[in-house]
Amino acid sequence: MPFAHALRALQPHPSTAAGLRRKVLPAALAMPVLMAACGGGNGDAAAQPVTPAAACADLPAKAGLAATTLTTSYVAADTKRPGGAASGAFLPGHCVVTGAINPRVGVDGKNYAIGFQLSLPDNWNGRFLFIGGGGNDGILRDTSLSSSISVGTPSPLGQGFAVVSTDAGHSGTSASFGADPQARIDHAYNSYDKTAVAAKSLIGTRYGRKPDHSYFSGCSGGGRQGMMFSQRFPDYFDAITAGAPAMRVSSGATVAAMWNTIQFDAIAPQDASGKRILSQAFSNADLNLVANAVKASCDAADGVADGLVNNVKACQFDPAVLQCSGAKGADCLSGAQVGALKSVFSGPRNSAGKALYAGQPWDPGLAAPGWRS
Ligand SMILES: [Ca+2]
């Protein structure tokens, strides 16, 4: 699409016929010639309003993205979500763009591409959200669902965000993609870069202007992706939430996970065969005891006693304050439990005492149902 490239050169905010025809956009009046030229050869249609479904169908031809295949499908407003945990929810009218950047055959003979899914709502709120992946990636996350930043609220798409996700350059959640050097690069950072750029370009094509604000949100592997964006592509997003970022997975985060398990396993009660019952290293009551003590010590340090410890640096909690003076009781922890908590929250260390990974901030969330797992 050479013309699309030329159009971008002319305009700081990419516009095409699909966006220009929308009456809500002032730019529609400014570019009648280009509008006709980008109109897919049907100049007579230029004066007619384009339905969202038609704009969706036209998007691949107008996108002008290099080395990228695109398909689109339109979801009408109030379509009921099929199946799944969120079944029954009504979806807003939106265009689902499925893309594959740089499709290729890897050194292992397998097919690779940077896959992405972009949902473009009819009633766009001017904002763009990139939702992160997790684990080894390899799947396209449903961009119509709630994300980690919107639990309990309407999905970002439902709020009017344009939302994108990527499979990070390979299909399948195993680590076998590691055999291919380019797939490793794609997983590390390149797929996120390319997906963000493609998504913003498609947003420009669809709506006739770039996003007012752009955000990234991810957890675990997605948290690491957020940190990566902040370092390599710091101007891509106005804000990033990097939840529980799993950094240096092979030498850091995984070592920390093993360290934690070892600490808790060592103090867990044993079953009849002598096997440790890891889940019983702490009872729920024990964890509530710790959570309440953390709150009492640290909650208000952020200025608001609301159950959340947001000034983690100011929190100097020491679980020793909970240690039983005598036998373990309901209102105190054993010395072994106190020791295990200290070891876990200060992070893994080698035999010379050198820290191998970050510790954890004291947080009353440790009494929440998911913490133990
Ligand atoms: Ca607080």
Side-chain angles (χ1 to χ4, degrees), residues 2-355:
F3 188 81
H5 289 303
L7 184 60
R8 284 199 185 80
L10 287 168
Q11 288 193 294
H13 301 341
S15 302
T16 68
L20 290 166
R21 287 175 189 154
R22 290 171 63 81
K23 290 181 176 177
V24 295
L25 298 175
L29 301 176
M31 304 289 287
V33 177
L34 290 177
M35 176 172 63
C38 287
N42 186 357
D44 294 336
Q48 301 299 318
V50 174
T51 65
C56 185
D58 288 349
L59 200 53
K62 292 174 177 168
L65 294 174
T68 303
T69 61
L70 297 171
T71 59
T72 62
S73 61
Y74 182 72
V75 179
D78 296 329
T79 298
K80 213 168 185 179
R81 183 194 305 284
S87 63
F90 288 96
L91 297 166
H94 66 286
C95 179
V96 181
V97 185
T98 305
I101 303 169
N102 189 28
R104 64 190 178 82
V105 177
V107 298
D108 53 2
K110 295 179 181 173
N111 291 317
Y112 288 94
I114 298 169
F116 68 88
Q117 181 189 90
L118 172 66
S119 281
L120 299 167
D122 300 347
N123 298 314
W124 186 42
N125 67 8
R127 294 190 278 177
F128 166 52
L129 173 65
F130 193 138
I131 55 173
N136 288 323
D137 292 299
I139 57 171
L140 279 181
R141 293 183 181 239
D142 186 341
T143 48
S144 75
L145 290 172
S146 290
S147 75
S148 57
I149 62 166
S150 64
V151 173
T153 66
S155 68
L157 179 66
Q159 297 177 48
F161 283 82
V163 187
V164 77
S165 68
T166 179
D167 61 12
H170 61 270
S171 291
T173 57
S174 85
S176 62
F177 72 88
D180 182 71
Q182 183 60 45
R184 297 172 79 106
I185 293 169
D186 288 346
H187 182 248
Y189 64 88
N190 186 53
S191 63
Y192 307 99
D193 170 23
K194 296 295 189 292
T195 296
V197 170
K200 288 188 177 185
S201 177
L202 286 162
I203 286 169
T205 303
R206 172 63 182 83
Y207 301 113
R209 62 187 175 95
K210 64 182 181 181
D212 302 326
H213 296 288
S214 299
Y215 307 93
F216 179 90
S217 176
C219 191
S220 189
R224 180 183 65 254
Q225 292 151 18
M227 300 296 278
M228 181 281 302
F229 265 126
S230 76
Q231 292 184 315
R232 288 179 181 264
F233 311 101
D235 57 345
Y236 279 18
F237 300 102
D238 298 292
I240 292 170
T241 61
M247 310 293 284
R248 293 190 286 115
V249 172
S250 57
S251 65
T254 306
V255 171
M258 294 171 69
W259 168 267
N260 296 348
T261 303
I262 289 168
Q263 309 307 316
F264 292 140
D265 193 69
I267 65 163
Q270 294 167 284
D271 65 16
S273 68
K275 188 181 174 189
R276 298 284 185 179
I277 311 170
L278 183 60
S279 64
Q280 294 180 14
F282 290 83
S283 68
N284 289 341
D286 292 337
L287 294 179
N288 277 318
L289 207 59
V290 181
N292 288 333
V294 170
K295 270 191 280 195
S297 174
C298 302
D299 181 355
D302 55 29
V304 186
D306 56 358
L308 304 175
V309 175
N310 288 326
N311 189 348
V312 295
K313 285 183 179 173
C315 185
Q316 303 296 325
F317 178 72
D318 184 344
V321 299
L322 293 171
Q323 187 165 335
C324 307
S325 54
K328 166 79 173 92
D331 60 349
C332 59
L333 301 178
S334 70
Q337 286 178 313
V338 169
L341 284 175
K342 282 187 172 181
S343 294
V344 165
F345 278 79
S346 63
R349 294 180 181 276
N350 65 14
S351 57
K354 183 179 175 235

